[in-house]
Amino acid sequence: MNVEKKKDFLIHAAYYAVIIIFVLLFMRYLFPPLSPFLFGILVAWGLQRPARALARKTHLPKRIPALLLTVVFYCILFVAVLVAGLQIISALEHFVPQIPVFARRIVPYVARSLEAIELQLQEYDPSTVDIVDRVSRELLSSLEKMISNISVYAVRLVSSIITGLPTVILTVIVAVVSTCFAALDFDHIFGYVKSQMPARFRLTVSTTFTTGVDSIRKILASYIAIMCLSFAELSIGFLLLDVPYAVGLALLVAVIDIMPILGTGLVLIPWAIIAAILGYYRMAIGVAALYIVMLVVRNIVEPKLVGQQMGLHPLVTLISMFVGLQMFGLFGLFGFPIALSLYIKLTHGSKSKTASV
């Protein structure tokens, strides 16, 4: 490798390193506070095409259909969230008070199981009885402490939700207002932004914005499809198992399932274990089978569906989602595949243009 090639390599490496650092810093520090504005702009951008079509048909200024479509969109979203929230609250009101009751029934079962293990060890290996006895006491003490803290955790959870409501309400208001302003003056705002850019950067910025928004739309559509699939699987499974409030509970678990940090295992695995301990073997087997089916379907469908929408190989999608989740949590889970897809599309586009020249 001669000196010129080394220089080119270092320049390109530094260029891409700066881009990667910028993207990481943006996702870490700027994306969370800017997310309601970005969501509002994204919604406004998505409503532009139907607003123009409606304006042509009704011969009205485009601002009026844009505002009406914004109101309709948020009304539909509010009703959907309200109905889903009521279903989830009904399911929680039924199941949460029963958690301490079930938990207290587990302690005697665990104690009897440990005593049976100690009796068996006395016959075969008496030297280990003291160790098992000590571990048993610590385990029972921890279990009883956990049961006594369930109500405390529930109160803390409710209080954290209540204290977080003002922030959620403010975020929703900011998103709605941002959408209204962006929808009313979309062409003017983005025309002004374009006019402030150097001419050589306009095409790159326009391509980046279009590709980024399109990638976000596709990945959101993918996860909505995955959540609907999980909801359908859970609803069918819970209805077959005669679970009370099957639809509301299925919706709650489907929402948890969309979060890889939690997943359905957070609910279904303890549910199956507790049901088996309490003697509800049909329920335990059914919930365990449902979890296995969902786990297999999710691991097959998610990388493939998201990868197809993003234009990435399923393995690349899975790696980028995992790395993003580990580094930046939920934002990285969505942001890394989007950034990778955007980079590949822009690089491929630039190479195609160079080849055509």
Side-chain angles (χ1 to χ4, degrees), residues 180-201:
C180 291
F181 281 130
L184 287 173
D185 294 316
F186 189 87
D187 296 333
H188 176 73
I189 292 172
F190 282 87
Y192 176 78
V193 171
K194 283 184 179 180
S195 66
Q196 302 304 309
M197 296 178 184
R200 64 180 182 274
F201 291 127

Side-chain angles (χ1 to χ4, degrees), residues 2-283:
N2 57 35
V3 177
E4 292 299 325
K5 288 184 177 180
K6 290 180 179 179
K7 287 182 180 180
D8 291 339
F9 173 78
L10 292 174
I11 291 172
H12 283 86
Y15 173 74
Y16 289 119
V18 170
I19 293 177
I20 292 171
I21 292 172
F22 175 78
V23 171
L24 294 177
L25 291 175
F26 175 82
M27 292 176 61
R28 179 66 178 86
Y29 297 104
L30 293 179
F31 185 79
L34 290 177
S35 56
F37 300 98
L38 297 175
F39 179 79
I41 293 171
L42 178 63
V43 173
W45 179 81
L47 295 176
Q48 287 304 298
R49 185 175 297 177
R52 292 191 183 99
L54 191 59
R56 286 194 299 268
K57 291 182 179 180
T58 58
H59 303 288
L60 292 172
K62 189 176 74 69
R63 299 181 61 173
I64 297 177
L67 183 60
L68 290 176
L69 289 174
T70 302
V71 172
V72 170
F73 171 81
Y74 278 108
C75 286
I76 294 173
L77 184 62
F78 175 77
V79 171
V81 171
L82 181 62
V83 171
L86 291 175
Q87 289 287 328
I88 292 173
I89 290 172
S90 298
L92 289 175
E93 286 179 346
H94 178 81
F95 285 99
V96 170
Q98 300 181 26
I99 293 176
V101 178
F102 288 138
R104 291 189 184 95
R105 293 176 61 183
I106 294 173
V107 175
Y109 177 86
V110 175
R112 290 194 300 270
S113 301
L114 293 173
E115 289 175 2
I117 294 172
E118 290 181 13
L119 290 174
Q120 292 293 327
L121 289 174
Q122 284 178 352
E123 297 179 3
Y124 297 101
D125 191 3
S127 61
T128 60
V129 173
D130 292 336
I131 299 174
V132 174
D133 183 64
R134 194 181 315 116
V135 172
S136 301
R137 288 198 301 269
E138 292 178 359
L139 178 61
L140 289 173
S141 175
S142 301
L143 190 59
E144 291 173 352
K145 188 182 296 183
M146 182 185 68
I147 292 171
S148 64
N149 289 333
I150 287 177
S151 58
V152 177
Y153 293 146
V155 172
R156 288 179 181 175
L157 178 62
V158 172
S159 63
S160 64
I161 292 173
I162 293 174
T163 54
L165 277 178
T167 303
V168 173
I169 294 172
L170 179 61
T171 302
V172 172
I173 292 174
V174 169
V176 173
V177 173
S178 301
T179 306
C180 291
F181 281 130
L184 287 173
D185 294 316
F186 189 87
D187 296 333
H188 176 73
I189 292 172
F190 282 87
Y192 176 78
V193 171
K194 283 184 179 180
S195 66
Q196 302 304 309
M197 296 178 184
R200 64 180 182 274
F201 291 127
R202 288 180 189 175
L203 180 59
T204 302
V205 172
S206 177
T207 305
T208 304
F209 175 79
T210 304
T211 306
V213 171
D214 187 59
S215 300
I216 293 172
R217 180 181 61 82
K218 288 180 178 179
I219 198 170
L220 288 178
S222 301
Y223 276 103
I224 290 173
I226 293 170
M227 189 171 68
C228 291
L229 178 61
S230 300
F231 173 69
E233 293 172 339
L234 289 164
S235 298
I236 294 171
F238 290 162
L239 289 171
L240 291 175
L241 293 171
D242 297 324
V243 176
Y245 298 96
V247 176
L249 188 62
L251 182 59
L252 174 61
V253 180
V255 172
I256 295 175
D257 181 54
I258 208 67
M259 305 174 188
I261 300 174
L262 303 177
T264 53
L266 182 71
V267 178
L268 298 185
I269 292 177
W271 188 349
I273 295 172
I274 292 171
I277 291 174
L278 298 178
Y280 303 119
Y281 299 113
R282 176 179 174 271
M283 179 68 70

